[in-house]
Amino acid sequence: MEKEKKLTPMLRQFLDVKNKHRDKLILFRMGDFYETFFEDAVQASKILGITLTSRNKNDDESVPLAGFPYHALDTYLDKLIKNGVKVAICEQVEDPKLAKGLVKREIVQIITPGSILDEKLISGKENNFLASIYHHSKFKKYGLAFLDVSTGDFIHTEINKELLMGELSRTTPSEIVVIEEELKKEVEDFRLENNPAVTLFTESFFDFREAEQILKQHFNLTTLEGFGSKSQPLGLAAAGLALAYLKFLKNDNLKHISSLRRYSVDDFMQIDEVSIRNLELFRSMRYGSRFGSLISVLDETKTPMGARLLKNWLIHPLMEEDKIQNRLKIVEAFRNQMPYTDEIRIILDKIGDLSRIISKVGAMRVNARDLITLSNYLSTAPEIKNLLLNFTEQRILAIADNIMNYDDVIDLIDRTVAENPPLTITEGNIINDGYNAELDELRQISRQGKSWIARLESKEREKTGIPSLKVSFNKVFGYYIEVTKTHQDKVPEEYIRKQTLVNCERYISQELKEFEAKVLGAEDRIKSLEYELFIQLREMLYEKVELLQQYVQEIALIDVYSNFAFIAYHRNYTKPKFNSDGRLFLQNSRHPVIERLLENEEFIPNDVDLDDD
């Protein structure tokens, strides 16, 4: 306490924030820098490689300090998140010029490894899952849910303790949430290879009823029977926990989390962590990277959505012949129509991470540039649908039927958003001319300002007989009339002196004051009106989120199926045939990875013939 008495008001403000968020690193905005203090500064300097210094260096109680420029936030935030650090961003929430005493600061955003919405901070080829685990002493099983807030993917299941570690290893969540200290320690003892952050969420008492209430409220439902409330209550409790945790962290709307799917581990082949590593499914042991792994050979997908779905399929191999045959028939249809398949893949290559842009729409965090990108991606829908209609395979035609018409969304964005808008939505220049009558009128006033100034300058020169008279503007005084000292005797009585300089005097006039109020008022109103109009646009698109997400699902499927067809065609892979004789017969078989890694020699095919004996 004695030490705290000697702290400055600013450091006391920091400690007030830190004491409410002990498990987070606080990025404390001070002017053009984000600063960290005390133990946060020591941690930040190690992870970010920034200089650790101190305030009051000569004092016995100097305070560790480390900081970086505010414009470098994305770079440093990326490093912190990848090191499993939870970050709270504390911003100045009032203009320092207007503040009386200490500038007011508040936490505006909390970012944890499993709650990232910004696509710049996460891999495009993989989901960024938040896992939640719920356990109750009455039950032997565990409830398990995975939620990717950046895409809206949300699934849940119930699982035995013996399978829990394997399922976490397969899905590689970046953060795991639990509500019991004992379970937190149990999960940490798994020592998962991807080293996720494990969070103890104790903000409120959490049970089945609370989970049910959160899910009903979010999905606007009266019953959760469709989600398995009777057959999988623990799974639903875990799902409710994941949603509760995200809602606690974020003030954002989460409309893009629009569905919850129940799954069973019995539907898939169980591949444990050791097998995933030894089979080199996602990482080569020799190279220590994606290169040389199975996915590096099988992934020729064109979109991030397709890449994520492909990884999901590799983690969870199907067990039922009907489902496997269903996939094979679709791949075969794409392979047999390669000219159309190639055209589809060319269009897919124009589509970036549509899923994560739509998630930003659902979280009301989308900016104007995102919307132009969204419009471009949605404009591919008619082309892809028309190409799919050339196939005869019913399963492909069913995908085509699910692709909707997005012309109204595209038209709304194109009519509203300017061609090259800025990144921030408060600077203006984001709304098109012709969209709003009031905005057009204000812009006309602002644009006419320069020509009005030129006319005024000419008129005043003629009236006063001062050929060097100038009408100018600066941020301190606004608009003013400048007259050199040699012409002081010609200055009219109605001019009001504003500033005296060495060689000249600066004045204002009633006419100039009225003009200034009109133009500067128009410019301020333009920015605020554009912001209001953009928020309205966000709200209109918010209502379209579920419709837009449907296109994401179809694009991911088309991408993975056409990817397999492309590989099969160009590498001469063969469709397998099933038998019930317990026999595995491979003729002229080639190891897909080794074959691709051989540079100067040809792979020699082998026959394999195995049966029950």
Side-chain angles (χ1 to χ4, degrees), residues 137-414:
S137 55
K138 288 183 183 178
F139 302 90
K140 290 182 180 179
K141 288 190 171 184
Y142 288 72
L144 179 62
F146 295 102
L147 171 53
D148 184 346
V149 70
S150 72
T151 63
D153 294 326
F154 195 11
I155 56 177
H156 74 94
T157 190
E158 288 187 2
I159 198 167
N160 293 326
K161 184 177 180 180
E162 310 82 65
L163 297 176
L164 182 60
M165 180 179 172
E167 193 63 6
L168 290 170
S169 298
R170 267 191 299 282
T171 314
T172 59
S174 55
E175 185 177 2
I176 301 169
V177 181
V178 297
I179 54 172
E180 296 168 349
E181 187 68 57
E182 189 179 335
L183 185 54
K184 179 176 186 285
K185 187 176 184 311
E186 193 178 316
V187 173
E188 286 171 339
D189 287 344
F190 288 159
R191 300 192 184 283
L192 297 170
E193 194 172 345
N194 69 309
N195 194 29
V198 184
T199 300
L200 185 65
F201 181 54
T202 56
E203 289 307 313
S204 62
F205 176 73
F206 195 87
D207 63 6
F208 295 108
R209 281 167 297 182
E210 187 170 346
E212 191 175 75
Q213 191 58 35
I214 286 165
L215 292 168
K216 281 181 180 176
Q217 192 174 350
H218 180 78
F219 292 111
N220 195 24
L221 296 170
T222 54
T223 175
L224 298 177
E225 284 185 22
F227 293 152
S229 57
K230 291 180 180 174
S231 60
Q232 288 205 345
L234 292 168
L236 272 184
L241 172 59
L243 201 54
Y245 177 64
L246 274 179
K247 285 180 180 285
F248 168 75
L249 291 181
K250 297 184 176 295
N251 295 320
D252 305 326
N253 295 289
L254 299 170
K255 189 181 179 73
H256 64 288
I257 303 172
S258 58
S259 65
L260 172 62
R261 182 171 57 82
R262 176 180 46 169
Y263 78 102
S264 170
V265 292
D266 297 332
D267 294 340
F268 310 103
M269 182 187 292
Q270 299 298 307
I271 313 176
D272 60 28
E273 187 174 16
V274 175
S275 299
I276 290 171
R277 185 167 58 249
N278 290 341
L279 289 170
E280 300 181 299
L281 296 185
F282 307 109
R283 189 178 179 85
S284 160
M285 286 192 280
R286 175 188 289 183
Y287 301 105
S289 67
R290 197 173 193 265
F291 178 76
S293 67
L294 180 62
I295 199 166
S296 73
V297 171
L298 293 184
D299 187 2
E300 296 278 353
T301 55
K302 295 294 187 181
T303 71
M305 294 80 73
R308 292 193 288 264
L309 182 62
L310 173 60
K311 184 181 180 186
N312 184 273
W313 283 8
L314 284 181
I315 294 170
H316 299 104
L318 294 175
M319 299 275 282
E320 294 178 31
E321 183 182 337
D322 287 350
K323 291 181 180 177
I324 296 170
Q325 290 281 26
N326 183 57
R327 284 185 185 172
L328 290 173
K329 285 173 182 172
I330 297 174
V331 173
E332 184 178 36
F334 276 112
R335 187 189 185 283
N336 290 341
Q337 295 273 20
M338 279 312 294
Y340 291 130
T341 301
D342 285 337
E343 284 189 59
I344 288 169
R345 283 170 58 78
I346 288 168
I347 299 168
L348 289 175
D349 204 24
K350 300 174 185 174
I351 303 175
D353 212 331
L354 177 60
S355 177
R356 284 176 172 156
I357 290 179
I358 293 169
S359 293
K360 286 163 83 172
V361 174
M364 300 285 275
R365 293 268 306 276
V366 72
N367 64 40
R369 289 188 191 177
D370 289 331
L371 292 186
I372 288 176
T373 304
L374 174 63
S375 173
N376 291 337
Y377 292 168
L378 293 177
S379 67
T380 60
E383 298 175 83
I384 289 178
K385 181 165 187 161
N386 289 335
L387 285 167
L388 292 176
L389 293 174
N390 290 296
F391 292 82
T392 55
E393 169 59 55
Q394 287 303 311
R395 296 168 184 85
I396 294 179
L397 294 175
I399 293 173
D401 283 344
N402 288 332
I403 296 177
M404 302 291 109
N405 185 307
Y406 301 103
D407 285 352
D408 59 335
V409 176
I410 295 166
D411 179 61
L412 177 61
I413 293 169
D414 292 352

Side-chain angles (χ1 to χ4, degrees), residues 8 40 46 131 209 280 322 355 365 417 447 451 524 550:
T8 64
D40 283 3
K46 286 179 183 174
R209 281 167 297 182
E280 300 181 299
D322 287 350
S355 177
R365 293 268 306 276
V417 181
R447 286 166 185 163
S451 58
D524 288 342
Q550 193 170 338

